[in-house]
Amino acid sequence: MDTLLNTVIWDGKTIADLLTLEFLASAVGNVLAALLILFVGFVVGGWVRRRITAIGGKHAHLDVTLFNFLGNVARYVVVGFAFLFVLNTFGVQTTSVVAVIGAAGLAIGLALQGTLSNVAAGVMIVFFRPIKIGDFVEVSGQMGTVKDITLNYTELAAVSNVQIIIPNSQVWGNTITNYSSYDTRRAEWVFGVGYGANLKLAEDTIRETIVADPRAKTDPEPFIQVNNLGDSSVDFLVRVWCDSSEYFAFQADMKRKVKEALDAAGVDIPFPTRTVVQVQG
């Protein structure tokens, strides 16, 4: 039994040394200190993230997306240092741990190339800002409002309020259509009238109806011209600028208003007809 108790098992200490009250008290103290350090690390990390995120929300000229990203990075850094302090509490040499982590990181990086490509793409999205939170975009065949941009994925809310998660590598590596990038957009319609209609009256009616809407901008001046002579109609091409935020409602409303205005003005709006001739054999 004495031989077993005198066996060295860790850091020059024997089993008998580890069973002393002094050592047990020291071990319990280290565990409590480690738990306290972790608790403080998570609390401070969360506080730092909230403070950095709040900076972007207080100033309109700052990008909220960038500060959300920086806040998350800062939180991970604080928590990482907390773990290093915990290891140091137990007497672990942190320099050797960092070296091991570096070697393990290389191996993990090779195994998780797809995930790391998403992280790299997320960094590019945040710093070059082709999209940001609140933008209405179309990317990878999906259309919606950007709700969040993390290190790994971008979250969209579809028009029907369905959550869409797209890996960042598919966002950065594809064509991005950002409908919110500019303050104004050009709405476009094609209105057809009959060949027997008064074209001047039709043009004036379309112009008056659209310009009367407060969403229509008069600078640049609306473009309204005959664009095509179809099989059964003379087609007017209409282009009018409006605010980007009002584009979809404006586009839809004008279709009905112009139709009603042309009806009230007595302008014929034709529809395709087919004449069937029966030949007697």
Side-chain angles (χ1 to χ4, degrees), residues 253-264:
D253 291 345
M254 287 301 98
K255 292 178 182 178
R256 177 172 181 173
K257 288 185 177 181
V258 170
K259 166 64 167 62
E260 293 174 345
L262 291 175
D263 288 343

Side-chain angles (χ1 to χ4, degrees), residues 177-188:
T177 303
N178 191 335
Y179 296 100
S180 303
S181 183
Y182 303 124
D183 294 333
T184 58
R185 289 185 62 184
R186 189 182 68 185
E188 184 173 307

Side-chain angles (χ1 to χ4, degrees), residues 7-173:
T7 302
V8 177
I9 61 173
W10 178 68
D11 197 23
K13 297 183 182 296
T14 64
I15 294 178
D17 295 330
L18 299 180
L19 293 178
T20 62
L21 290 177
E22 180 182 356
F23 177 80
L24 292 176
S26 174
V28 172
N30 288 339
V31 171
L32 293 177
L35 292 176
L36 179 61
I37 291 173
L38 286 178
F39 175 76
V40 172
F42 278 102
V43 171
V44 173
W47 179 82
V48 171
R49 181 183 63 81
R50 290 191 298 272
R51 293 296 299 172
I52 293 177
T53 302
I55 294 175
K58 288 181 179 179
H59 305 280
H61 65 281
L62 298 178
D63 186 1
V64 176
T65 306
L66 176 60
F67 280 86
N68 284 344
F69 175 82
L70 294 177
N72 287 325
V73 171
R75 178 176 179 271
Y76 292 139
V77 170
V78 172
V79 173
F81 274 109
F83 274 104
L84 290 178
F85 284 131
V86 168
L87 294 176
N88 191 56
T89 300
F90 287 101
V92 178
Q93 295 296 324
T94 54
T95 54
S96 59
V97 171
V98 171
V100 172
I101 292 176
L106 178 60
I108 294 173
L110 294 175
L112 300 176
Q113 293 183 21
T115 301
L116 292 179
S117 67
N118 288 330
V119 173
V123 173
M124 300 296 283
I125 292 170
V126 169
F127 282 94
F128 286 96
R129 299 188 299 175
I131 60 175
K132 58 183 182 295
I133 294 175
D135 285 353
F136 187 77
V137 302
E138 181 177 0
V139 61
S140 295
Q142 302 293 335
M143 180 181 292
T145 302
V146 179
K147 289 296 184 181
D148 195 12
I149 301 174
T150 70
L151 282 176
N152 293 305
Y153 64 84
T154 296
E155 177 186 350
L156 302 183
V159 178
S160 55
N161 203 32
V162 176
Q163 184 186 54
I164 301 174
I165 302 297
I166 306 176
N168 283 335
S169 60
Q170 296 184 21
V171 176
W172 183 254

Side-chain angles (χ1 to χ4, degrees), residues 167-268:
N168 283 335
S169 60
Q170 296 184 21
V171 176
W172 183 254
N174 284 283
T175 300
I176 299 173
T177 303
N178 191 335
Y179 296 100
S180 303
S181 183
Y182 303 124
D183 294 333
T184 58
R185 289 185 62 184
R186 189 182 68 185
E188 184 173 307
W189 306 266
V190 175
F191 298 111
V193 301
Y195 272 91
N198 185 325
L199 297 184
K200 180 66 168 61
L201 175 61
E203 180 180 340
D204 291 343
T205 301
I206 295 172
R207 185 182 302 275
E208 291 171 2
T209 303
I210 292 180
V211 172
D213 192 291
R215 292 170 293 188
K217 294 187 177 296
T218 56
D219 185 20
E221 184 179 353
F223 176 89
I224 304 174
Q225 294 288 341
V226 172
N227 181 60
N228 182 55
L229 300 177
D231 294 336
S232 59
S233 65
V234 177
D235 298 328
F236 281 90
L237 176 62
V238 181
R239 292 171 175 165
V240 182
W241 289 85
C242 66
D243 290 335
S244 296
S245 60
E246 299 175 335
Y247 172 83
F248 290 103
F250 181 55
Q251 179 92 357
D253 291 345
M254 287 301 98
K255 292 178 182 178
R256 177 172 181 173
K257 288 185 177 181
V258 170
K259 166 64 167 62
E260 293 174 345
L262 291 175
D263 288 343
V267 177
D268 178 44

